[in-house]
């Protein structure tokens, strides 16, 4: 459940970042860069992220996830910045608050129309065959996530130099409390905002877990309220925090894309090591029932082992992230803007 916060906050803050980076540029320059950045992220998802996840150099299964969704959303944001910038906030609100209404519509499920609806709105592990044993898995429907990046871009104005820090904190607190309250209200009503209504269990914990079990694929309104509401509160309460922990976390936060790519490859390398260390052989590298190399269906370690590996990877990557952050501060090559 805790990991549910990663994707929406990452996408939302990408929107904030786009606004902040565009303040001293013309609309044409900002839109042009965003267009190139979006195309670059889509290419990265296909060529680099999918390889890091599967370790399959023949790309039998291409995985389209959060980087893909951000890239596509940046293309749409670049278009609106040029054509109708005033529509960014209304469009974001409409997409976030309105896309769940589609669950009540009789959308086509097959054919080109069915695939297009899934691609843009309702993808839930949608797999498209490409032929010759190759497939594309669409796990992030584009437009619900586009709504999130549009809202992040719109709230980026709160971080302008002419906005008082206290006023910004008040706005973030009000928005955070309001969005969190909306999640609770919608969840209690149990009708709109999530395709999977919560159910009362045999005891309190079962009911509580069901209450929190909102839908991420595609991101429902309740899911986004559950994650972005608390995120806005954290933004409000931590802006001026300056502790050892905050300075460590800032190192990762300054180079999030760099960290994201590295952590995929380091985790898969760790997987390869554990694979052979637990007695598996080269004959088991490819499992016809798994899209991941070195990951047979029945292979796994304990939850404690997963946490140990996760924590180790985070600690190890602090050092390359710190190096790259310092490198970016001292250099200005064009390609650094894309990493």
């Amino acid at each position: 459940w805790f990991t549910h916060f990663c994707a929406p906050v990452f996408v939302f803050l990408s929107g904030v970042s786009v606004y902040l980076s565009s303040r001293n540029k013309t609309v044409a320059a900002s839109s042009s860069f965003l267009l190139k950045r979006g195309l670059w992220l889509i290419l990265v998802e296909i060529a680099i992220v999918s390889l890091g996840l599967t370790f399959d150099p023949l790309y039998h299964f291409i995985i389209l996830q959060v980087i893909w969704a951000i890239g596509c959303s940046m293309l749409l944001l670049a278009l609106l910045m040029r054509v109708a910038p005033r529509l960014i906030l209304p469009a974001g609100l409409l997409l976030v608050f309105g896309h769940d209404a589609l669950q009540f519509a009789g959308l086509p499920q097959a054919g080109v129309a069915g695939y297009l609806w899934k691609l843009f709105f309702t993808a839930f592990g949608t797999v498209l065959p490409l032929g010759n044993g190759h497939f594309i898995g669409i796990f992030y429907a584009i437009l619900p996530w586009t709504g999130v990046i549009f809202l992040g871009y719109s709230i980026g104005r709160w971080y302008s130099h002419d906005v008082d820090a206290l006023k910004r904190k008040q706005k973030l607190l009000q928005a955070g409390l309001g969005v969190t309250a909306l999640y609770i209200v919608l969840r209690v009503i149990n009708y709109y905002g999530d395709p999977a209504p919560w159910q009362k269990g045999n005891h309190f914990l079962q009911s509580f877990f069901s209450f929190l079990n909102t839908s991420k694929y595609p991101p429902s309104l309740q899911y986004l309220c559950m994650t972005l509401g608390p995120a806005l509160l954290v933004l409000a309460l931590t802006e001026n925090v300056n502790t050892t922990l905050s300075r460590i976390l800032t190192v990762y936060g300054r180079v999030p894309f760099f960290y994201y790519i590295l952590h995929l490859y380091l985790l898969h390398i760790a997987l390869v090591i554990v694979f052979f260390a637990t007695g598996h052989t080269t004959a088991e590298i490819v499992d016809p029932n798994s899209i991941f190399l070195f990951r047979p269906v029945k292979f796994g370690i304990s939850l404690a082992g997963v946490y140990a590996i996760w924590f180790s990877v985070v600690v190890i990557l602090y050092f390359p992230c710190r190096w790259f952050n310092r490198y970016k501060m001292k250099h200005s090559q064009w390609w650094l803007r894309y990493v």
Side-chain angles (χ1 to χ4, degrees):
W1 177 83
F2 186 74
T3 62
H4 270 341
F5 286 83
C6 297
V9 176
F10 194 43
V11 175
F12 179 81
L13 292 180
S14 295
V16 175
S17 176
V18 169
Y19 178 83
L20 294 177
S21 65
S22 67
R23 285 180 301 178
N24 298 319
K25 301 176 185 176
T26 65
V27 173
S30 298
S31 178
S32 177
F33 172 73
L34 200 56
L35 181 65
K36 290 182 286 187
R37 173 84 182 197
L39 292 172
W40 161 243
L41 290 179
I42 293 171
L43 176 62
V44 166
E45 184 79 285
I46 295 171
I48 300 177
V49 174
S50 287
L51 179 61
L53 288 169
T54 66
F55 264 30
D56 178 5
L58 299 180
Y59 293 93
H60 287 97
F61 199 97
I62 295 173
I63 302 173
L64 302 181
Q65 296 189 105
V66 65
I67 301 298
W68 140 270
I70 293 176
C72 293
S73 298
M74 284 184 172
L75 298 182
L76 295 172
L77 182 54
L79 176 64
L80 271 190
M81 286 172 66
R82 277 183 178 268
V83 177
R86 292 184 179 181
L87 292 181
I88 294 175
L89 177 57
L93 293 171
L94 177 62
L95 288 171
V96 168
F97 286 86
H99 78 271
D100 282 289
L102 292 175
Q103 73 184 77
F104 302 106
L107 302 178
Q109 298 298 313
V112 175
Y115 281 131
L116 287 175
W117 277 112
K118 292 172 183 176
L119 176 69
F120 286 101
F121 280 106
T122 64
F124 181 79
T126 300
V127 177
L128 305 180
L130 298 178
N132 297 321
H134 290 78
F135 303 86
I136 292 181
I138 305 172
F139 296 93
Y140 278 60
I142 296 171
L143 290 180
W145 293 104
T146 299
V148 176
I149 206 170
F150 280 11
L151 293 184
Y153 178 87
S154 302
I155 282 182
R157 294 181 175 86
W158 296 357
Y159 286 89
S160 297
H161 295 304
D162 57 347
V163 176
D164 179 71
L166 181 59
K167 186 176 182 180
R168 174 170 56 252
K169 182 177 180 179
Q170 292 173 341
K171 286 185 174 183
L172 289 169
L173 285 173
Q174 291 169 355
L177 290 171
V179 171
T180 304
L182 178 61
Y183 158 67
I184 296 172
V185 170
L186 288 174
R187 203 65 175 150
V188 169
I189 295 173
N190 217 20
Y191 178 73
Y192 180 77
D194 198 278
W198 72 281
Q199 298 178 350
K200 187 175 181 179
N202 296 325
H203 50 77
F204 172 76
L205 274 182
Q206 274 191 346
S207 300
F208 181 66
F209 291 153
S210 179
F211 194 86
L212 294 178
N213 190 27
T214 54
S215 303
K216 180 181 180 181
Y217 305 101
S220 69
L221 172 59
Q222 291 182 22
Y223 167 83
L224 293 175
C225 288
M226 180 186 72
T227 51
L228 293 179
L232 290 168
L233 295 175
V234 171
L235 285 175
L237 299 174
T238 59
E239 181 171 336
N240 296 316
V241 171
N242 186 13
T243 64
T244 300
L245 178 60
S246 69
R247 289 191 291 272
I248 291 174
L249 295 178
T250 299
V251 170
Y252 299 100
R254 289 183 182 276
V255 289
F257 180 73
F258 180 78
Y259 171 87
Y260 181 78
I261 298 300
L262 279 189
H263 100 285
L264 293 176
Y265 282 84
L266 185 54
L267 282 170
H268 214 126
I269 290 171
L271 171 63
V272 173
I273 294 172
V274 174
F275 174 86
F276 285 113
T278 51
H280 291 81
T281 66
T282 54
E284 300 173 276
I285 292 176
V286 178
D287 186 330
N289 297 310
S290 174
I291 64 173
F292 307 104
L293 270 62
F294 303 96
R295 177 62 175 84
V297 171
K298 295 184 179 181
F299 171 79
I301 59 176
S302 68
L303 183 60
V306 171
Y307 275 112
I309 292 173
W310 165 77
F311 183 75
S312 299
V313 167
V314 173
V315 171
I316 290 170
L317 289 183
Y318 172 81
F319 300 98
C321 286
R322 184 179 62 179
W323 166 81
F324 189 60
N325 177 42
R326 291 174 177 173
Y327 184 88
K328 289 187 71 174
M329 294 175 66
K330 296 178 180 178
H331 298 80
S332 57
Q333 293 95 324
W334 65 269
W335 58 269
L336 288 172
R337 294 180 297 169
Y338 294 88
V339 181

